[in-house]
Every structure is written in C-alpha cells, then in structure tokens.
Amino acid sequence: MEQLDLIEEITRNDGSRYYEISNIDQNGIAELAVDHGEIKKVRILQLNIPRTNALIEYEKYINDTYDLQTLTNEDDWKNPKWVEWDKPKGKILDAYHMILKANRIG
C-alpha cells in the first residue's frame, strides 16, 4: 500500500486544473505524463501533509481502487498512462475536501 503525503496541482491539456493527494512516486509518474503530453503541467503545492483520518481513508480508497504505477516498474515510466482518480460523492469526496481544507488548499 502506498502512503500519500503530498498535494499537487494538475493542469489538464485543456487548461483546467485540479488538486490531487499523491506521493513522490506518483508525482514522478505525473512528470512523465507531462513529458508524454498526457497532461499539461504538474506542481507540488504541499509536502509532508499530516496523516489524518481523512487522509488514511482517501489513501485506502486510492490503493484499493487503482493499480498505481511506479517508477520502479520500467513499463510504467517508459509508457506512463495518466489516470485521473475519481472522487465519488460521499465519504471519499468529503475526505478529499477535508484534506485540502486542512492544508489550506483550494
């Protein structure tokens, strides 16, 4: 299970932006996705975010729902596939918003 410990801002190719709770490995995948033209830009806004209950809940959802790419897998870094993580309404979206609010982002 990957721990999430940073917040980044993703700029889609259409210029719209969103925030993601991520980690340095996933940020590296995002940087590669920029290089491959799958997204326009990524920048880290906050490092070492607190491990709150909301973060732990969101992190569990991401790990259970997505097959996370990693920089240790050559196929992932040679051919990154950008996946924008869904945030379903209810406890996951609420947890996401709590994390952003606690870190004064958004």
Side-chain angles (χ1 to χ4, degrees), residues 1-7 21-24 46-63 68 95 98-100 102-103:
M1 183 158 133
E2 288 197 33
Q3 284 196 349
L4 305 179
D5 59 3
L6 63 82
I7 299 173
I21 293 93
S22 189
N23 63 25
I24 203 68
Q46 185 81 26
L47 291 168
N48 300 320
I49 61 175
R51 290 205 52 78
T52 62
N53 287 339
L55 176 61
I56 292 166
E57 186 165 334
Y58 185 75
E59 181 180 271
K60 181 177 178 350
Y61 160 76
I62 294 300
N63 278 282
L68 299 178
M98 274 193 261
I99 296 162
L100 294 181
N103 288 279

Coordinates of all heavy atoms in Angstrom, one line a residue, residues 1-7 21-24 46-63 68 95 98-100 102-103:
M1 N 0.8 -1.2 0.0 CA 0.0 0.0 0.0 C 0.9 1.2 0.0 O 1.8 1.4 0.8 CB -0.9 0.0 1.2 CG -1.8 1.2 1.3 SD -3.3 0.9 2.3 CE -3.3 2.4 3.2
E2 N 0.6 2.2 -0.9 CA 1.4 3.4 -1.0 C 0.8 4.4 -0.1 O -0.4 4.7 0.0 CB 1.4 3.9 -2.4 CG 2.2 3.1 -3.4 CD 2.5 3.9 -4.6 OE1 2.7 5.1 -4.6 OE2 2.6 3.2 -5.7
Q3 N 1.7 5.1 0.7 CA 1.3 6.2 1.5 C 1.2 7.5 0.7 O 2.1 7.7 -0.1 CB 2.2 6.4 2.7 CG 2.0 5.4 3.8 CD 2.6 5.8 5.1 OE1 3.4 6.7 5.2 NE2 2.3 5.1 6.2
L4 N 0.2 8.3 0.9 CA 0.1 9.6 0.2 C 0.5 10.6 1.2 O 0.1 10.7 2.3 CB -1.4 9.8 -0.3 CG -1.9 8.6 -1.1 CD1 -3.4 8.9 -1.5 CD2 -1.1 8.4 -2.4
D5 N 1.4 11.5 0.7 CA 1.9 12.5 1.7 C 2.2 13.9 1.1 O 2.9 14.7 1.6 CB 3.2 12.0 2.3 CG 4.3 11.7 1.3 OD1 4.1 11.9 0.0 OD2 5.4 11.2 1.7
L6 N 1.6 14.2 -0.1 CA 1.8 15.5 -0.7 C 0.5 15.9 -1.5 O -0.3 15.0 -1.8 CB 3.0 15.6 -1.6 CG 3.2 14.7 -2.8 CD1 2.4 15.3 -4.0 CD2 4.6 14.5 -3.1
I7 N 0.4 17.1 -1.8 CA -0.7 17.6 -2.6 C -0.1 18.3 -3.8 O 0.8 19.1 -3.7 CB -1.6 18.6 -1.8 CG1 -2.2 17.9 -0.6 CG2 -2.7 19.2 -2.7 CD1 -3.0 18.9 0.3
I21 N -4.1 14.4 -4.1 CA -3.3 14.0 -2.9 C -2.5 12.8 -3.4 O -3.1 11.8 -4.0 CB -4.2 13.6 -1.7 CG1 -5.0 14.8 -1.2 CG2 -3.4 13.0 -0.6 CD1 -6.3 15.0 -1.7
S22 N -1.2 12.9 -3.3 CA -0.3 11.9 -4.0 C 0.9 11.6 -3.2 O 0.9 11.8 -2.0 CB 0.0 12.6 -5.3 OG 0.7 11.7 -6.2
N23 N 1.9 11.1 -3.8 CA 3.2 10.9 -3.2 C 4.3 11.2 -4.2 O 4.0 11.4 -5.4 CB 3.3 9.5 -2.5 CG 3.2 8.4 -3.5 OD1 3.5 8.5 -4.7 ND2 2.8 7.2 -3.0
I24 N 5.5 11.1 -3.8 CA 6.6 11.5 -4.7 C 6.7 10.5 -5.9 O 7.0 10.9 -7.0 CB 8.0 11.6 -4.0 CG1 8.9 12.5 -4.8 CG2 8.6 10.3 -3.6 CD1 8.5 13.9 -4.8
Q46 N 2.2 21.1 -1.6 CA 2.4 20.9 -0.1 C 3.0 19.5 0.1 O 2.6 18.5 -0.5 CB 1.0 20.9 0.6 CG 1.1 20.8 2.1 CD 1.4 22.1 2.7 OE1 1.2 23.2 2.2 NE2 2.1 22.1 3.9
L47 N 4.1 19.5 0.8 CA 4.8 18.2 1.2 C 4.5 17.8 2.6 O 4.2 18.7 3.4 CB 6.3 18.4 1.0 CG 6.9 18.6 -0.4 CD1 8.3 19.0 -0.3 CD2 6.7 17.3 -1.2
N48 N 4.7 16.5 2.9 CA 4.5 16.0 4.2 C 3.2 16.4 4.9 O 3.3 16.9 6.0 CB 5.8 16.4 5.1 CG 7.0 15.9 4.5 OD1 7.1 14.8 4.0 ND2 8.1 16.7 4.5
I49 N 2.1 16.2 4.3 CA 0.8 16.5 4.8 C 0.5 15.6 6.0 O 1.0 14.5 6.1 CB -0.3 16.5 3.8 CG1 -0.5 15.1 3.2 CG2 0.0 17.6 2.7 CD1 -1.7 15.0 2.2
P50 N -0.2 16.1 7.0 CA -0.5 15.3 8.2 C -1.3 14.0 7.9 O -2.2 14.1 7.1 CB -1.3 16.2 9.1 CG -1.2 17.6 8.5 CD -0.8 17.4 7.1
R51 N -1.0 13.0 8.6 CA -1.7 11.7 8.5 C -3.0 11.7 9.3 O -3.1 11.1 10.3 CB -0.8 10.5 8.8 CG 0.3 10.4 7.8 CD 0.9 9.0 7.7 NE 0.0 7.9 7.5 CZ -0.6 7.6 6.4 NH1 -0.4 8.3 5.3 NH2 -1.4 6.6 6.3
T52 N -4.0 12.4 8.8 CA -5.3 12.5 9.5 C -6.1 11.3 9.1 O -5.8 10.5 8.2 CB -6.0 13.8 9.0 OG1 -6.2 13.7 7.6 CG2 -5.2 15.0 9.3
N53 N -7.2 11.1 9.8 CA -8.2 10.1 9.5 C -8.7 10.2 8.0 O -8.9 9.2 7.3 CB -9.4 10.0 10.4 CG -8.9 9.5 11.8 OD1 -7.9 8.8 11.9 ND2 -9.7 9.9 12.8
A54 N -8.9 11.5 7.6 CA -9.4 11.7 6.2 C -8.4 11.2 5.2 O -8.7 10.6 4.2 CB -9.7 13.2 6.0
L55 N -7.1 11.5 5.5 CA -6.0 11.1 4.6 C -6.0 9.6 4.5 O -5.9 9.0 3.4 CB -4.7 11.7 5.0 CG -3.5 11.2 4.1 CD1 -3.7 11.6 2.7 CD2 -2.2 11.7 4.7
I56 N -6.0 8.9 5.7 CA -6.0 7.5 5.7 C -7.1 6.8 4.9 O -7.0 5.9 4.2 CB -5.9 7.0 7.2 CG1 -4.5 7.4 7.8 CG2 -6.1 5.5 7.3 CD1 -4.4 7.3 9.3
E57 N -8.3 7.4 5.1 CA -9.5 6.9 4.4 C -9.3 7.1 2.9 O -9.6 6.2 2.1 CB -10.8 7.6 4.9 CG -12.0 7.0 4.3 CD -13.3 7.5 5.0 OE1 -13.2 7.8 6.2 OE2 -14.3 7.5 4.4
Y58 N -8.9 8.3 2.4 CA -8.7 8.5 1.0 C -7.6 7.6 0.4 O -7.8 7.1 -0.6 CB -8.4 10.0 0.8 CG -8.3 10.4 -0.7 CD1 -9.4 10.6 -1.4 CD2 -7.0 10.6 -1.3 CE1 -9.3 10.9 -2.8 CE2 -6.9 11.0 -2.6 CZ -8.1 11.1 -3.3 OH -8.0 11.4 -4.7
E59 N -6.5 7.5 1.2 CA -5.4 6.7 0.8 C -5.8 5.2 0.6 O -5.5 4.6 -0.4 CB -4.3 6.8 1.8 CG -3.1 6.0 1.7 CD -2.2 6.3 2.9 OE1 -1.4 7.2 2.8 OE2 -2.3 5.5 3.8
K60 N -6.6 4.7 1.5 CA -7.1 3.3 1.4 C -8.0 3.2 0.1 O -7.8 2.2 -0.6 CB -7.9 2.9 2.6 CG -8.4 1.5 2.6 CD -9.1 1.1 3.8 CE -9.7 -0.3 3.8 NZ -9.8 -1.0 2.6
Y61 N -8.9 4.1 -0.1 CA -9.7 4.1 -1.4 C -8.8 4.1 -2.6 O -9.1 3.3 -3.5 CB -10.6 5.3 -1.4 CG -11.2 5.6 -2.7 CD1 -12.2 4.8 -3.3 CD2 -10.7 6.7 -3.5 CE1 -12.7 5.1 -4.6 CE2 -11.2 7.0 -4.7 CZ -12.2 6.2 -5.3 OH -12.6 6.4 -6.5
I62 N -7.8 4.9 -2.7 CA -7.0 5.0 -3.9 C -6.2 3.7 -4.1 O -6.2 3.1 -5.2 CB -6.0 6.2 -3.8 CG1 -6.7 7.5 -3.8 CG2 -4.9 6.1 -4.9 CD1 -7.6 7.8 -5.1
N63 N -5.6 3.2 -3.0 CA -4.9 1.9 -3.1 C -5.8 0.7 -3.5 O -5.4 -0.2 -4.2 CB -4.1 1.7 -1.8 CG -2.8 2.4 -1.7 OD1 -1.8 2.0 -2.3 ND2 -2.8 3.5 -1.0
L68 N -1.7 1.4 -9.0 CA -0.8 2.5 -9.1 C 0.5 2.2 -9.9 O 1.1 1.2 -9.6 CB -0.5 3.0 -7.7 CG -1.7 3.4 -6.9 CD1 -1.3 3.8 -5.5 CD2 -2.4 4.6 -7.5
A95 N -13.7 13.3 2.4 CA -12.3 13.1 3.0 C -11.3 14.0 2.1 O -10.5 14.7 2.7 CB -11.9 11.7 2.9
M98 N -11.7 17.6 3.0 CA -11.1 17.8 4.4 C -9.6 17.9 4.3 O -9.0 18.8 5.0 CB -11.5 16.7 5.3 CG -12.9 16.9 6.0 SD -13.1 15.7 7.4 CE -14.1 14.5 6.6
I99 N -9.0 17.1 3.5 CA -7.5 17.1 3.4 C -7.1 18.4 2.8 O -6.2 19.1 3.3 CB -7.0 15.9 2.5 CG1 -7.3 14.6 3.2 CG2 -5.5 16.1 2.2 CD1 -7.3 13.4 2.2
L100 N -7.8 18.9 1.7 CA -7.4 20.1 1.1 C -7.6 21.3 2.1 O -6.8 22.2 2.2 CB -8.3 20.4 -0.2 CG -8.0 19.4 -1.3 CD1 -8.9 19.8 -2.5 CD2 -6.5 19.4 -1.7
A102 N -7.7 21.2 5.4 CA -6.7 21.2 6.5 C -5.3 21.7 6.1 O -4.6 22.2 6.9 CB -6.6 19.7 7.0
N103 N -5.1 21.6 4.8 CA -3.8 22.1 4.3 C -3.9 23.5 3.6 O -3.0 23.9 2.9 CB -3.2 21.0 3.3 CG -2.7 19.9 4.1 OD1 -1.6 19.9 4.6 ND2 -3.5 18.8 4.2

